[in-house]
Amino acid sequence: MSTTTHEELAKGWIRALSDVEVFYSLCADDCKVWHSADDKWMTVKEAIDAVHERGGLPTFENSRYTLTDKGFFVQTSATLAAARVHLIQVVTVKDGKAVSAEEYIGPEMDIAV
């Protein structure tokens, strides 16, 4: 069995942004997920269940990844009812699986105001 590379995982992560179930195949069983919107760690299952409870993921735009020594990060944007938001997801990889994912969410705004 071959080891999944950081790049293969990053490409899969981009796919998972439109099919949340894909995250199960990308993450280790004990992977933890953190979101800046609620400042708490949860399991992948809890994070995916929360997405389903909210009615699914928004449509993400301009999704891209950058590889790092420890994994990768994904940058993407979405337009929600309340605001346009930008996300960065920092993913740490070990043995071909994501072991942690931290999502930082920021609204688009005029910083000169």
Side-chain angles (χ1 to χ4, degrees):
M1 182 167 135
S2 66
T3 301
T4 303
T5 67
H6 291 185
E7 185 162 24
E8 289 167 333
L9 281 173
K11 288 178 179 179
W13 206 269
I14 299 287
R15 278 192 315 276
L17 293 175
S18 61
D19 180 1
V20 72
E21 300 297 322
V22 172
F23 284 116
Y24 284 119
S25 67
L26 304 174
C27 297
D29 292 340
D30 60 350
C31 180
K32 295 293 184 196
V33 179
W34 178 87
H35 301 103
S36 65
D38 56 17
D39 191 24
K40 68 179 184 177
W41 287 94
M42 62 185 71
T43 66
V44 172
K45 182 178 182 334
E46 289 168 330
I48 291 174
D49 287 350
V51 167
H52 289 305
E53 288 170 13
R54 287 190 310 270
L57 293 171
T59 300
F60 290 105
E61 304 164 6
N62 196 23
S63 301
R64 59 218 181 268
Y65 64 86
T66 300
L67 303 177
T68 68
D69 289 341
K70 294 182 179 182
F72 58 91
F73 64 89
V74 169
Q75 296 169 268
T76 192
S77 302
T79 302
L80 308 176
R84 181 150 174 84
V85 295
H86 304 283
L87 295 86
I88 294 179
Q89 298 167 321
V90 179
V91 181
T92 303
V93 175
K94 184 175 178 185
D95 298 328
K97 294 280 189 176
V99 294
S100 72
E102 300 174 51
E103 180 177 82
Y104 299 87
I105 306 167
E108 184 171 291
M109 61 170 57
D110 182 353
I111 60 170
V113 176

